[in-house]
Amino acid sequence: MKKWIVVLISMFFLSGCGWIYGMGGNSEFDISGGNLEMPEFEFTNQDGEPFGKSDLEGDYWLATMIFTQCPSVCPTMTPNMQRLQDAMIAEGKEMKFISFTVDPKQDTPEVLHKYGTNVGADFNYWNFLTGYSQEEIGDLSKEAFAAIVQDVEDSDEIMHSTSFYLVDPEGNVIRKYDGLQSDQTEIVKDLRATVN
């Protein structure tokens, strides 16, 4: 019961910035009117190597927030991201995928490498990032995605966005997709039309 209460509270809080996503243009996923931008960052990837915004310059990339011990939403989100990775590789779309852990103390590079391997990540395209404090990733999430990251009291949960965010080659956050959506047909269609 407690788990479902946490999920419902998370959904309530994560929808709190919904107004920003109403600003859009040519698609239901378009959030370019929100003027969200990815700040500069340099963290550590699953191979223990420095990885930052500069490594993504000139690329479209899909970002998400996860943690490896997540008992609720991440076991749905990460396989959904993996299917999008495979779909875009099959389409020949040159884009990257980034998963930021919201539990950097637990999620070391070694833990993230094992997690990524288990979910079928192609590390040529997909990086799992750590090497920061939870406060730092909370600040990044708030600035780039208008979404909060915070511990849930008396729980192993960490509240975080359940969306996937498309960042353009200039670092603008231009699309928001439902990371829990099992039918990804429309997401793939939008990615196909947007990523060039």
Side-chain angles (χ1 to χ4, degrees):
M1 181 69 175
K2 183 186 248 185
K3 178 179 173 182
W4 287 110
I5 291 171
V6 168
V7 170
L8 289 173
I9 290 171
S10 298
M11 289 172 65
F12 173 78
F13 279 107
L14 293 173
S15 66
C17 295
W19 62 271
I20 204 165
Y21 305 120
M23 304 175 175
N26 59 6
S27 106
E28 64 180 298
F29 307 113
D30 190 344
I31 60 168
S32 57
N35 297 316
L36 298 173
E37 186 176 348
M38 180 60 59
E40 292 294 329
F41 67 86
E42 183 170 287
F43 300 138
T44 304
N45 73 6
Q46 71 284 340
D47 296 320
E49 298 173 350
F51 191 96
K53 184 179 176 185
S54 63
D55 295 294
L56 297 160
E57 285 179 6
D59 290 320
Y60 283 91
W61 51 285
L62 201 62
T64 189
M65 300 281 174
I66 56 98
F67 63 109
T68 62
Q69 298 300 313
C70 176
S72 56
V73 294
C74 303
T76 299
M77 292 169 59
T78 303
N80 284 346
M81 182 81 115
Q82 189 273 332
R83 286 194 295 278
L84 291 174
Q85 169 206 251
D86 286 355
M88 292 300 100
I89 291 172
E91 291 274 345
K93 296 292 186 181
E94 286 297 319
M95 64 178 292
K96 306 293 188 211
F97 299 82
I98 303 295
S99 290
F100 296 95
T101 180
V102 296
D103 188 9
K105 287 183 181 177
Q106 166 69 30
D107 289 340
T108 63
E110 295 79 14
V111 169
L112 289 172
H113 194 284
K114 183 176 180 181
Y115 181 79
T117 300
N118 289 343
V119 299
D122 183 332
F123 295 128
N124 293 309
Y125 298 93
W126 192 350
N127 280 271
F128 293 77
L129 300 185
T130 188
Y132 40 77
S133 68
Q134 192 181 60
E135 182 179 352
E136 287 173 310
I137 196 59
D139 289 344
L140 182 143
S141 180
K142 185 176 180 182
E143 181 175 348
F145 310 132
I148 63 169
V149 172
Q150 75 179 50
D151 290 325
V152 177
E153 193 173 344
D154 298 324
S155 169
D156 292 332
E157 278 283 3
I158 300 171
M159 193 181 303
H160 62 89
S161 175
T162 58
S163 296
F164 299 154
Y165 299 92
L166 184 65
V167 183
D168 73 12
E170 290 74 45
N172 303 301
V173 183
I174 60 170
R175 292 286 194 273
K176 177 187 174 219
Y177 306 111
D178 182 354
L180 299 172
Q181 178 66 47
S182 57
D183 182 354
Q184 298 179 314
T185 306
E186 292 303 313
I187 298 175
V188 171
K189 183 178 176 182
D190 191 74
L191 285 171
R192 186 187 299 126
T194 306
V195 177
N196 46 39

